[in-house]
Amino acid sequence: SCVTETRYQRRVRGRKKIKTTLTPTRMSIHRAPLKLFSGNAHPELARSIAQVLGVELGEAIVGKFSNGETMVEIKESARDCDVFIIQPTCNPNVNDNLMELLIMADAMKRASARRITAVVPCFGYARQDKKDKSRAPITGKLVSNLIETSGIDRVITVDLHASQIQGFFDIPVDNLFAEPLLVKYIKKIHPDKDKVIVSPDAGGVKRAKAVADKLNLDLAIIHKERKRANQVSGMILVGEVEKKVCILIDDMADTCGTLKLAASELKEKGALCVYALVTHGVLSGPALTLLSESDLVEIVVTNSIPQTENVKQCSKVKVIDIAPMMSEAIRRTHNGESISVLFNISGLAEQESTNNDDH
């Protein structure tokens, strides 16, 4: 009986040790200091997010060596910290921005950061998400592998080109939607006139329908035929737009050839005026010239990509700030809270009210 009792006591002591060891480890991530860092992709957005959160941006030197290689030097301790790297992999230097993100993450991992989260408002290479022709790469999957290998534990992004890209990762990916922000803006456009939501292509119907349902508006669809990438040869309109304010909804505007043709088609069909609301304003190549010459009243984009120069060069470009939404996602991730509140208009309105009260 003495031997049996001793074994029992050992088992009890062993269980107690396991409990006291595991509990602090599981909970300590929420008590880890929050630190924000930024590369050169979008420092303006990073500063806005830091200001909303009431924290200082971490000090880091991100540049290039004389031979063109990316150089990163973290100038403060990240040991046992909950690190967020704000770095959209967007134009004009997509590859440089991606390498900066990967190297910063590697530096943080080697500096013993507790957790590393990549905040990537615009996810580069998202359009290369499938093998649509012979010998085509799936670069979106390659980029996701690179991000995981660099030591990143979580990704926060906005309006992925295809939601299935989340499946490329074996780490958590929070795909936030700009839809609530767009819906709020649309309500201010000609509130006394009939409006119709228009999808500029068949692939964006689901996105446009979600906005139309939120506002209880009709939906129209434009089917476009392409000769080659970024060149549209013809359009067919499905839906009634006559004597209505047309609002084009898309996730990305690149060269803007599609938007220009769509606006012309809608005006020919009797639309009163045409607006475009886009999450990611890439606006590359001849985009600004085409927008200036188009029938669009204005194109509204978020600042997931830097827009300062675009706004200066084209008066039709208007910008919606996503810093409050991104900062709340970071705060909730750091505290271990749900971020589902950010997927609805009332939740964003409540958060904006809180931010205004704080300031």
Side-chain angles (χ1 to χ4, degrees):
S1 61
C2 182
V3 174
T4 304
E5 185 178 1
T6 303
R7 288 176 179 172
Y8 174 75
Q9 289 175 344
R10 287 176 180 171
R11 286 199 297 269
V12 171
R13 282 198 300 273
R15 289 170 186 166
K16 287 181 179 179
K17 285 181 180 179
I18 291 174
K19 288 181 180 179
T20 55
T21 302
L22 289 180
T23 303
T25 305
R26 187 175 63 250
M27 298 299 293
S28 60
I29 187 66
H30 307 313
R31 294 195 294 269
L34 168 65
K35 289 204 174 184
L36 301 182
F37 290 88
S38 171
N40 294 316
H42 203 340
E44 182 182 353
L45 177 62
R47 285 192 293 267
S48 297
I49 291 173
Q51 183 178 6
V52 174
L53 287 171
V55 300
E56 295 289 334
L57 272 178
E59 186 179 356
I61 298 175
V62 183
K64 287 183 178 295
F65 292 107
S66 58
N67 65 351
E69 293 179 359
T70 299
M71 179 270 294
V72 170
E73 185 178 352
I74 309 302
K75 303 295 288 185
E76 61 185 73
S77 175
R79 183 177 295 275
D80 272 346
C81 291
D82 194 9
V83 174
F84 291 80
I85 304 173
I86 302 169
Q87 179 81 346
T89 51
C90 59
N91 59 302
N93 302 307
V94 178
N95 295 329
D96 285 346
N97 294 338
L98 176 60
M99 284 306 300
E100 286 181 8
L101 172 64
L102 299 177
I103 296 173
M104 288 185 77
D106 183 73
M108 295 299 177
K109 179 178 67 174
R110 297 178 190 281
S112 301
R114 182 72 61 85
R115 179 174 64 181
I116 305 169
T117 301
V119 182
V120 190
C122 180
F123 188 84
Y125 290 101
R127 285 178 286 184
Q128 300 184 46
D129 61 341
K130 57 184 177 293
K131 188 173 181 179
D132 53 357
K133 55 188 176 183
S134 299
R135 297 171 296 282
I138 306 179
T139 318
K141 171 60 175 170
L142 172 62
V143 170
S144 68
N145 289 344
L146 291 171
I147 287 174
E148 286 188 48
T149 303
S150 69
I152 290 170
D153 301 300
R154 191 181 199 94
V155 175
I156 300 176
T157 187
V158 180
D159 275 349
L160 285 170
H161 187 65
S163 296
Q164 298 92 313
I165 292 174
Q166 294 173 86
F168 288 173
F169 292 87
D170 291 323
I171 58 176
V173 177
D174 295 318
N175 182 29
L176 305 179
F177 301 125
E179 174 191 312
L181 300 174
L182 302 183
V183 168
K184 185 178 178 182
Y185 191 94
I186 292 171
K187 288 180 178 179
K188 300 176 183 178
I189 299 176
H190 297 295
D192 56 334
K193 296 180 180 178
D194 290 336
K195 294 191 280 282
V196 58
I197 303 298
V198 183
S199 173
D201 56 36
V205 172
K206 184 177 180 181
R207 184 182 303 105
K209 187 178 185 303
V211 174
D213 291 343
K214 287 277 179 66
L215 294 165
N216 196 26
L217 297 175
D218 292 333
L219 175 68
I221 303 167
I222 293 178
H223 172 67
K224 60 185 179 184
E225 300 173 352
R226 293 184 183 272
K227 284 184 178 179
R228 59 181 66 89
N230 293 331
Q231 288 192 9
V232 179
S233 58
M235 291 191 161
I236 301 172
L237 176 65
V238 179
E240 182 59 45
V241 300
E242 189 174 359
K243 296 181 180 180
K244 293 182 179 181
V245 176
C246 293
I247 300 171
L248 291 158
I249 300 291
D250 209 348
D251 69 315
M252 185 177 294
D254 195 344
T255 58
C256 293
T258 297
L259 291 180
K260 181 183 179 182
L261 289 175
S264 299
E265 179 73 16
L266 294 170
K267 288 291 286 185
E268 287 179 8
K269 298 298 182 181
L272 290 176
C273 56
V274 184
Y275 291 77
L277 276 76
V278 180
T279 302
H280 306 297
V282 178
L283 307 183
S284 65
L288 297 178
T289 301
L290 293 177
L291 288 174
S292 299
E293 298 171 351
S294 73
D295 292 317
L296 288 171
V297 175
E298 62 184 28
I299 176 171
V300 182
V301 300
T302 71
N303 58 342
S304 63
I305 297 173
Q307 299 294 340
T308 304
E309 291 301 317
N310 294 333
V311 171
K312 291 179 182 178
Q313 296 179 41
C314 181
S315 60
K316 292 185 178 182
V317 178
K318 309 297 179 184
V319 181
I320 296 176
D321 187 17
I322 61 170
M325 179 178 71
M326 301 303 296
S327 61
E328 180 64 5
I330 290 173
R331 187 193 68 79
R332 288 176 173 272
T333 300
H334 175 64
N335 292 332
E337 301 175 17
S338 170
I339 65 169
S340 59
V341 68
L342 301 179
F343 298 148
N344 61 75
I345 301 169
S346 58
L348 280 177
E350 180 183 345
Q351 178 55 30
E352 287 182 3
S353 175
T354 302
N355 290 336
N356 292 334
D357 291 341
D358 292 341
H359 291 295

